Amino acid sequence: MTTTDDRSLKTTADHSLEEFGYRQELHRSLGRYASFAAGFSFISVLTTVFQFFAFGYAFGGPVFFWAWPAVLVGQLLVAACFAELAGRYPLSGAIYQWSSRLSNPSFGWFAGWIMVIGQIVVVAAAALALQMVLPALWSGFQLIGTDPTPTSSDGAANAAVLGVLLLVLTTLVNILDNRVMSVINRVGVTAEIIGAVLIVVLLLTHSRRSPGITFHTGTAAEGGLLGALLVGSFTAAYVMIGFDSAGEMSEETHQPRRTAPRTILTALSAAGLLGGLVILGGLLAAPSLTDGHLGVDGLSYVLTSSLGEGVGRVLLADVVVAIAVATLAIQTAASRMLFSMARDGQLPFASRLARVNPRTGMPGAPAVVVGVLAAVLLLLDFASPDAFLAIGTTCIVLLYLAYAMVTGPLLVRRLRGEFRAAGADETGAPLFSLGRWGVPVNAVALVWGLAMAVNLAWPRGAVYDPAGGHWYFRWFTVLFLTGTVVAGGAWRLARAESRRAVAVPEAVS
């Protein structure tokens, strides 16, 4: 039954959207927990920690743990800036919309273009995470070959097959109904949080060593302590992205000006805390830090060897749920970005991509496009196992750059005195604001984001091409980013030329 207050809030939300020149097409059905789930499931601490723990440990040793709190603090600064913008601009396609309004339409378009390409790559990377868990859960999930290690040819090919199968399922859910998607998200996130807490408790109660081990680089650290932390930060950097998804879903959220800022911050904080404890628990409970298993098999090895096959497999099953829900959430966020840009006529086939099914309230075409393109990326795993890391790092760099294309213009606006997060949310309370801390927080957030993007994209041979002979994987991130910008620029030039060609005859006549 719809109450008077419910109708009032819906009217307020619809009016808020109209002030930006849009009409309400997506269905508003997400409450506070569903909004939190959108951000938390994109981050998906279990998916990403299980996927990249082995990498972080292999290159950093136990000390890579300390990269986690450093990255969390840096990302919280970015999230605080986004929380301000989420209250002020409660629109789908958050990064694109925010950047366009803070700078200019062209700059904002490139921010949205880089972001959506990055999101598509993240979808592919998340789907690949199944290979870290399913074969450890049951050997029958190794459909190709016998070696489940993602860095082996068998493991890489099998990861691609499992990933494509998952993308088929998430694409179907993404075109059904946003209420169905919301239910799956909420149930999945609840299961992930419960599972993460259980994993932390069980690992800490099965500790074999003291936390002091986290101050050791081990024998695998590259370039001493600094090198260990820089490369080890990849794990944390990959986990703590996507918190802006609560903003992406603003047009489907009740009271978005009030809800989205809070859920952006709580999703990142909760994931940061749980992820750090999972990593610490894994280091303390691992049977051995030197037998090589941690740098290859990661946390799956710790669960099954320290907690027993039965308990370990139950927890691994929970991780599978987390991976599936994360892939769904990331695909949803990318779909909303495509929809938002297409609605403004800023993409090829814009009219089709901007179409919303009035019955389901879902833009189906963007979900299919994201799913297909992500599946194509997965095929790179058939070419070489090194594609696994190349895909993962590329998506992080693209998102970090897109974030900087928001925090940069926002800082300029602050310094000019043109940005004030004044106004009230749907309940009449003041919008979230950093107040006098806005400039210093924003400045550090921008420098942090750019520095991390450079660190992640740096063409380290030992990281991206350990076997040698694959220079294109070493430079994959730089080449992919360059290709993304060039392709986007070429399309915009062609579009401008076609418009001029149409305008000239009209002017002559």
Side-chain angles (χ1 to χ4, degrees):
M1 180 177 179
T2 304
T3 65
T4 303
D5 287 343
D6 290 335
R7 288 192 295 269
S8 175
L9 288 174
K10 183 179 186 299
T11 302
T12 301
D14 290 349
H15 176 72
S16 174
L17 193 58
E18 288 172 3
E19 75 180 66
F20 295 105
Y22 303 119
R23 59 191 178 91
Q24 185 70 46
E25 293 183 279
L26 305 175
H27 293 180
R28 289 195 184 273
S29 61
L30 308 184
R32 180 174 296 180
Y33 188 69
S35 177
F36 165 83
F40 189 91
S41 56
F42 191 124
I43 299 171
S44 188
V45 63
L46 289 186
T47 300
T48 44
V49 169
F50 271 77
Q51 190 174 12
F52 274 85
F53 178 94
F55 171 82
Y57 186 83
F59 281 92
V63 78
F64 96 98
F65 165 80
W66 292 106
W68 189 275
V71 172
L72 176 58
V73 171
Q75 291 298 79
L76 278 172
L77 299 179
V78 178
C81 295
F82 285 5
E84 284 188 305
L85 296 171
R88 191 164 183 171
Y89 307 114
L91 299 167
S92 292
I95 299 298
Y96 157 70
Q97 295 285 357
W98 299 342
S99 184
S100 296
R101 284 167 168 74
L102 293 170
S103 55
N104 59 65
S106 294
F107 189 83
W109 185 90
F110 274 102
W113 175 248
I114 291 173
M115 182 68 183
V116 75
I117 297 299
Q119 287 173 323
I120 292 171
V121 183
V122 178
V123 174
L128 286 173
L130 282 178
Q131 184 62 25
M132 296 295 297
V133 183
L134 280 181
L137 185 62
W138 178 48
S139 60
F141 287 117
Q142 186 64 34
L143 305 175
I144 297 178
T146 57
D147 188 352
T149 307
T151 53
S152 69
S153 57
D154 287 351
N158 197 67
V161 172
L162 294 177
V164 170
L165 293 175
L166 176 58
L167 287 174
V168 171
L169 294 176
T170 57
T171 301
L172 289 175
V173 173
N174 253 308
I175 62 178
L176 286 176
D177 190 289
N178 71 342
R179 288 171 295 184
V180 175
M181 179 200 67
S182 174
V183 170
I184 293 175
N185 245 349
R186 282 178 287 164
V187 172
V189 164
T190 302
E192 180 173 5
I193 292 174
I194 294 172
V197 171
L198 285 174
I199 288 172
V200 169
V201 171
L202 290 172
L203 288 179
L204 291 180
T205 55
H206 287 75
S207 295
R208 300 169 186 261
R209 56 193 64 86
S210 72
I213 193 66
T214 59
F215 292 99
H216 295 263
T217 58
T219 59
E222 178 191 83
L225 178 60
L226 180 59
L229 290 174
L230 288 177
V231 179
S233 67
F234 284 30
T235 301
Y238 182 71
V239 174
M240 288 181 269
I241 55 174
F243 44 84
D244 53 295
S245 291
E248 291 282 4
M249 305 299 289
S250 287
E251 292 183 29
E252 294 156 84
T253 304
H254 296 300
Q255 303 185 60
R257 292 182 186 271
R258 178 176 180 80
T259 301
R262 288 163 174 77
T263 51
I264 285 174
L265 292 170
T266 54
L268 177 58
S269 300
L273 175 62
L274 280 175
L277 291 174
V278 168
I279 289 179
L280 178 61
L283 292 172
L284 300 186
S288 173
L289 300 180
T290 58
D291 63 3
H293 280 293
L294 272 186
V296 176
D297 303 317
L299 284 175
S300 297
Y301 153 74
V302 179
L303 288 189
T304 55
S305 60
S306 297
L307 305 181
E309 289 290 328
V311 175
R313 290 180 189 278
V314 170
L315 294 175
L316 286 179
D318 187 69
V319 176
V320 173
V321 173
I323 293 171
V325 173
T327 305
L328 172 66
I330 300 165
Q331 186 176 6
T332 302
S335 300
R336 297 306 180 268
M337 178 67 77
L338 280 178
F339 161 75
S340 183
M341 296 180 72
R343 179 173 56 183
D344 290 347
Q346 296 298 313
L347 289 175
F349 311 106
S351 59
R352 184 68 185 90
L353 291 172
R355 193 175 304 162
V356 176
N357 187 316
R359 180 181 63 82
T360 65
M362 302 283 273
V368 174
V369 169
V370 173
V372 170
L373 292 179
V376 170
L377 279 172
L378 290 181
L379 298 181
L380 288 174
D381 252 29
F382 282 100
S384 172
D386 293 333
F388 172 81
L389 182 59
I391 291 173
T393 307
T394 297
C395 68
I396 314 172
V397 172
L398 291 175
L399 264 64
Y400 270 72
L401 286 177
Y403 288 173
M405 294 178 77
V406 173
T407 55
L410 177 58
L411 179 60
V412 172
R413 284 292 190 96
R414 290 187 198 276
L415 294 175
R416 290 176 178 173
E418 297 173 354
F419 181 83
R420 294 181 179 83
D425 62 26
E426 295 85 355
T427 66
L431 292 176
F432 176 86
S433 174
L434 291 172
R436 59 194 180 96
W437 289 98
V439 170
V441 167
N442 197 161
V444 177
L446 174 60
V447 173
W448 157 258
L450 293 174
M452 277 301 294
V454 171
N455 174 43
L456 294 165
W458 200 263
R460 299 174 175 90
V463 174
Y464 298 116
D465 187 21
H470 298 93
W471 65 269
Y472 42 87
F473 280 124
R474 182 172 181 175
W475 292 91
F476 185 86
T477 299
V478 177
L479 292 172
F480 193 95
L481 175 60
T482 303
T484 297
V485 174
V486 169
W491 180 79
R492 287 183 64 83
L493 284 175
R495 180 168 172 262
E497 287 295 333
S498 65
R499 286 185 171 182
R500 278 195 290 270
V502 171
V504 169
E506 291 177 352
V508 172
S509 62

